[in-house]
Amino acid sequence: MEYKHLHEANRLSWNAATRAHNRHKGDQAAFFRAGGSPLFPEELALLGDLQGQAVLHLQCNAGQDSLGIARLGARVTGVDISDEAITFARALSDASGIAAEFVRSDVYDYFDGLAAAGGQGGSFDTVFSSYGTLCWLSDLARWARGVAAALRPGGRFVFVEFHPAALVFDPQWQPRYDYFNDAPVHEAGVGDYVGETQNAREDPQASASEAFTNPHPSHEFAWGLGRVVAALLAAGLRLEALEEYPYMNGWCAFEGMQDLGGRRWGMPPGMARMPLMYSLVARRPESA
């Protein structure tokens, strides 16, 4: 793979960032044992009834959403490139009493493993991915083909992502990143966006009490909405739903964003609304 070395650099960056993120989240096992769920209403509505389904959660991070999906009655396999994230996810599964399988793998390597196992159709009823996943993918067409191949005939891909139109801005709302960009963008490292969002919610004027500097740089890729849809269609999936939202779930990405409640953030007061997030559902046809 042309960018395999960048994926490995991102793995190290995510290992460091995951430790920082989880220190802000409290006792997550107790949260789950008390009946809590990290899933937002958008995911719950899109996923629908998962009872008895086999669900593949791609780029599952530390497994919190995977366990939320398993709580809905699904048999979940979570895949993530970060060693730290998968170690945490397995421990959280044990401590919470919610069963799920977690696999440490680059998503492309995981797809290759599925292909090597053979068969005309995938084994998953639903493939799911959400929030800040596409920017780590160096080959969009290969990703879309992998998603399609992982699905059984009739299976669905459910996807929620931050809108690429918003991601052209830096945190001060200044245009910085090219929407149409084929080259990787090199950054200082995955940041502690969990802590920054928590601080913004508790006191918008406060600075982070525990500054985090990632010792490992990261490398991201920009994929416009049209290219995402085109890649999924080219992989043989059929688009069933596409929606845009004027808010972000779980991330206060820019200065002055309004806390809308429910871990949701909207545009600053007085600014014209723009799409900050989108979702789509695509299905693998029952037959070719």
Side-chain angles (χ1 to χ4, degrees):
M1 184 186 305
E2 182 182 357
Y3 290 117
K4 183 70 172 180
H5 63 295
L6 299 187
H7 296 192
E8 286 301 299
N10 287 339
R11 179 179 64 84
L12 297 177
S13 196
W14 270 105
N15 282 346
T18 298
R19 290 188 289 270
H21 297 168
N22 283 326
R23 74 187 183 194
H24 303 294
K25 296 181 180 179
D27 189 339
Q28 295 170 74
F31 170 76
F32 278 108
R33 290 196 300 267
S37 172
L39 297 173
F40 287 93
E42 290 81 9
E43 291 104 86
L44 291 170
L46 290 164
L47 287 166
D49 183 6
L50 296 179
Q51 188 66 42
Q53 285 199 14
V55 176
L56 174 62
H57 185 185
L58 295 173
Q59 296 166 274
C60 67
N61 197 264
Q64 292 92 347
D65 284 2
S66 304
L67 297 182
I69 292 170
R71 173 68 63 73
L72 299 175
R75 304 186 308 278
V76 178
T77 300
V79 178
D80 199 89
I81 197 171
S82 167
D83 315 75
E84 189 76 22
I86 292 300
T87 296
F88 185 94
R90 289 169 177 165
L92 182 59
S93 175
D94 291 341
S96 66
I98 303 174
E101 178 184 1
F102 291 100
V103 179
R104 207 301 304 170
S105 179
D106 184 311
V107 66
Y108 297 113
D109 293 339
Y110 185 78
F111 289 148
D112 288 345
L114 292 181
Q120 294 300 311
S123 58
F124 293 98
D125 300 290
T126 298
V127 174
F128 175 72
S129 189
S130 67
Y131 304 118
T133 56
L134 279 186
C135 65
W136 308 108
L137 300 176
S138 58
D139 188 332
L140 194 65
R142 187 179 177 194
W143 165 80
R145 291 193 300 269
V147 168
L151 288 167
R152 65 166 179 78
R156 299 177 307 149
F157 176 49
V158 177
F159 186 52
V160 186
E161 181 59 287
F162 299 120
H163 204 291
L167 300 182
V168 303
F169 298 103
D170 68 13
Q172 290 73 45
W173 292 102
Q174 296 302 307
R176 177 180 174 186
Y177 302 101
D178 192 346
Y179 186 93
F180 301 98
N181 186 21
D182 293 317
V185 177
H186 307 291
E187 300 283 5
V190 181
D192 186 9
Y193 54 82
V194 177
E196 293 164 1
T197 297
Q198 186 178 88
N199 285 339
R201 183 173 59 248
E202 294 172 353
D203 182 359
Q205 304 304 316
S207 59
S209 58
E210 298 179 61
F212 170 70
T213 300
N214 199 318
H216 303 288
S218 57
H219 313 273
E220 303 179 22
F221 300 83
W223 301 112
L225 179 55
R227 296 183 70 179
V228 174
V229 172
L232 294 170
L233 295 177
L237 299 180
R238 294 177 179 171
L239 188 66
E240 293 191 340
L242 175 63
E243 186 168 354
E244 299 171 301
Y245 309 88
Y247 52 79
M248 284 179 160
N249 285 340
W251 184 28
C252 181
F254 307 104
E255 283 187 351
M257 295 188 80
Q258 298 186 72
D259 185 350
L260 303 178
R263 299 180 294 143
R264 179 176 289 169
W265 297 85
M267 301 289 294
M271 284 187 66
R273 294 193 303 169
M274 64 175 293
L276 298 177
M277 192 172 81
Y278 72 97
S279 67
L280 63 82
V281 177
R283 189 177 298 273
R284 177 173 175 172
E286 290 284 355
S287 60

